[in-house]
Amino acid sequence: MLRKITSLAVAMLAIVATTFAQQKAATPATTPAPTAPSVSIYGFVRNDAYYDSRQNVFVREGQLDLYPRDKDIQSDGSDYNKKSQLNILGILARFGVRVSGPDAFKAKTSAVLEGDFFGQADVNIGLLRLRHGYVKLDWQKSALTLGQTWYPMFIPECFPGVVGFNTGIPIAPFGWAGQVKYTAKIDAKNSLSLTAYKPREFAVANVNPTDVTNAASLNAALPELNLHYQYKSDNFLIGAQVDYSKITPYTKYGATGALLTNEASVNSVTAMAYAKITGKKIAVKAQALLGQNTTSWVMLGGYLGYKPTATSKETYKPIKTNAAWIDIYGTGKKVVPGLFVGYTSIEGAKSGATAAYGRAVGVSGRGIKDLMRISPRIDFISGKLSFRNELEFTTAKYGTRANDGKVTGATDNITNVRFTFSTVFNF
């Protein structure tokens, strides 16, 4: 009897085990296996040789040129700044890492970490500098970007394709900032983004060793806000932005023991529009900007200070800056010509200013009224290697500034001609 019961129990267990195995095989997995992150490395090795016909305002030993210097007449009548210069640098070599997956919060995730050897300032040229460091969560109808990446005013799909590292500045906006960016995907072609970010470059009225470079931005406990609409199809791109900025220079007044602080702010609004059209043989990019206090985008401008008396607290007004550019280039794969034309002007602010803060601005002496640049180029491409050549003609009109920050009266055209030969190996 015991033997029969045992045999029956074994048979029942075998039936149960077989049924369970069959059900398990028929039931699909409800939890997918985690996806391993995908990592890719990219970048390029670049070497630039460039020649200037006169002295320039620049950074990193001339690698990034802005505009030609004004006349500096010596006792013998010669212009000291009418001297040529030449340099060869490889500090633009760049590398980055892209990481994708696994999913988080029901979104596809990715991250980018990128740097180059441009340095953070002229004193540490050749050292590693962070360009991008951000994480992105991408849902079906929206996306969220967190970290340091391009200013909203810099459009990766629509920026000047010039050879020079100036990338069109000081006419076109450029740079990176820490930010939080939310993008709503209206449909397959239309999107709307809202970005809150903190600029890295600002002219600070408070000259104090304990202040950091971007103290004017930090002292305003409000991020810069940018609203961006974009339409994008295969051959056409158009967009528009409105940007609001508030900074607090936080200037100190008085003698030691009797210091007064000033929390007056600079409120600025900038509007920008851009477009790109791609044809079979030719493509065109263009941008127009009406700006206020555009210093942080490495453009001309800033803000003016008003202090009627020695004991008055300084107030501020943003300087208006206008800019526009167009870039026409070929779409070939081996020989690619291009032409960049850009213009920018300083439109000043309210009269009666006693101080100016920013780039190429002032309330007295000589200064820039406007600036124009024409840059023809041609690229020769073979596989991953490119030989890039460019002639850059930059003309600045210099004249006497009034106390509204504008140049009035007669002006002198000061021109620099730069030739750049760049070797780029992509990987």
Side-chain angles (χ1 to χ4, degrees):
M1 179 66 68
L2 181 60
R3 183 178 298 175
K4 290 182 178 180
I5 294 175
T6 302
S7 299
L8 181 61
V10 170
M12 292 180 65
L13 286 174
I15 293 172
V16 171
T18 302
T19 303
F20 179 77
Q22 291 174 346
Q23 289 180 346
K24 185 176 181 181
T27 303
T30 57
T31 304
T35 304
S38 172
V39 180
S40 61
I41 299 175
Y42 67 93
F44 55 74
V45 177
R46 173 170 170 167
N47 190 66
D48 284 16
Y50 50 87
Y51 165 86
D52 290 304
S53 63
R54 73 174 288 117
Q55 300 293 298
N56 277 292
V57 174
F58 58 71
V59 297
R60 307 303 190 278
E61 299 180 10
Q63 179 73 77
L64 193 158
D65 62 313
L66 296 173
Y67 50 85
R69 293 186 181 275
D70 192 9
K71 294 185 296 184
D72 185 0
I73 305 302
Q74 303 300 299
S75 58
D76 62 357
S78 63
D79 179 3
Y80 176 82
N81 286 329
K82 196 175 182 180
K83 293 182 178 179
S84 58
Q85 52 189 16
L86 173 72
N87 205 353
I88 302 175
L89 285 172
I91 60 175
L92 296 183
R94 181 186 308 173
F95 68 93
V97 179
R98 292 191 183 97
V99 183
S100 62
D103 291 356
F105 301 104
K106 299 181 180 180
K108 295 180 179 179
T109 64
S110 60
V112 171
L113 185 64
E114 179 182 296
D116 63 17
F117 297 91
F118 195 67
Q120 294 79 27
D122 287 353
V123 295
N124 54 28
I125 185 172
L127 296 186
L128 183 63
R129 174 187 67 162
L130 176 67
R131 288 169 54 89
H132 298 279
Y134 66 88
V135 173
K136 185 176 181 180
L137 290 86
D138 199 339
W139 293 274
Q140 186 175 359
K141 294 185 177 181
S142 61
L144 184 65
T145 302
L146 304 161
Q148 177 170 305
T149 187
W150 295 116
Y151 279 127
M153 284 288 179
F154 182 89
I155 311 300
E157 307 95 329
C158 185
F159 67 93
V162 297
V163 177
F165 186 62
N166 60 46
T167 321
I169 60 175
I171 301 167
F174 183 82
W176 311 265
Q179 60 192 260
V180 177
K181 177 181 178 180
Y182 176 78
T183 301
K185 304 172 186 178
I186 302 171
D187 55 34
K189 296 181 179 180
N190 295 275
S191 65
L192 190 65
S193 300
L194 178 62
T195 305
Y197 66 103
K198 273 295 185 179
R200 291 296 306 162
E201 283 194 35
F202 267 120
V204 184
N206 183 22
V207 182
N208 188 320
T210 62
D211 287 339
V212 294
T213 303
N214 61 332
S217 177
L218 292 176
N219 290 331
L222 180 73
E224 191 154 341
L225 300 173
N226 182 283
L227 185 64
H228 178 195
Y229 164 77
Q230 185 181 85
Y231 171 88
K232 184 178 182 180
S233 65
D234 292 338
N235 300 314
F236 186 65
L237 174 74
I238 189 170
Q241 296 186 6
V242 177
D243 193 280
Y244 170 74
S245 166
K246 178 182 178 180
I247 64 170
T248 305
Y250 200 73
T251 307
K252 296 179 180 179
Y253 296 100
T256 303
L259 289 174
L260 298 175
T261 61
N262 181 16
E263 297 185 4
S265 299
V266 186
N267 295 281
S268 309
V269 177
T270 296
M272 185 269 280
Y274 62 91
K276 176 184 176 181
I277 302 174
T278 305
K280 291 183 178 180
K281 295 184 178 181
I282 297 176
V284 180
K285 303 174 185 175
Q287 184 185 76
L289 181 146
L290 302 175
Q292 294 182 333
N293 190 18
T294 56
T295 311
S296 62
W297 303 316
V298 203
M299 301 178 70
L300 306 183
Y303 56 95
L304 299 183
Y306 301 82
K307 188 180 177 186
T309 66
T311 57
S312 299
K313 287 192 175 183
E314 195 171 43
T315 58
Y316 307 100
K317 293 289 183 183
I319 294 173
K320 299 175 183 178
T321 300
N322 297 333
W325 58 264
I326 185 170
D327 190 25
I328 306 170
Y329 58 99
T331 58
K333 302 299 183 182
K334 294 183 178 181
V335 180
V336 183
L339 175 66
F340 170 83
V341 179
Y343 172 84
T344 184
S345 63
I346 298 175
E347 300 299 324
K350 189 178 81 170
S351 61
T354 53
Y357 309 95
R359 183 173 290 104
V361 296
V363 294
S364 62
R366 299 264 296 179
I368 293 177
K369 179 179 181 179
D370 57 31
L371 182 148
M372 186 170 188
R373 178 175 293 160
I374 301 175
S375 304
R377 66 183 185 273
I378 186 166
D379 298 345
F380 299 96
I381 305 170
S382 178
K384 298 293 185 179
L385 183 63
S386 300
F387 292 146
R388 309 195 66 194
N389 307 268
E390 181 178 66
L391 273 175
E392 180 185 284
F393 302 87
T394 304
T395 299
K397 287 185 179 178
Y398 279 90
T400 303
R401 299 187 184 104
N403 61 17
D404 61 355
K406 293 183 66 175
V407 169
T408 59
T411 59
D412 297 309
N413 290 337
I414 307 298
T415 300
N416 175 62
V417 180
R418 166 173 283 210
F419 172 70
T420 301
F421 173 68
S422 180
T423 303
V424 185
F425 180 83
N426 294 281
F427 60 86

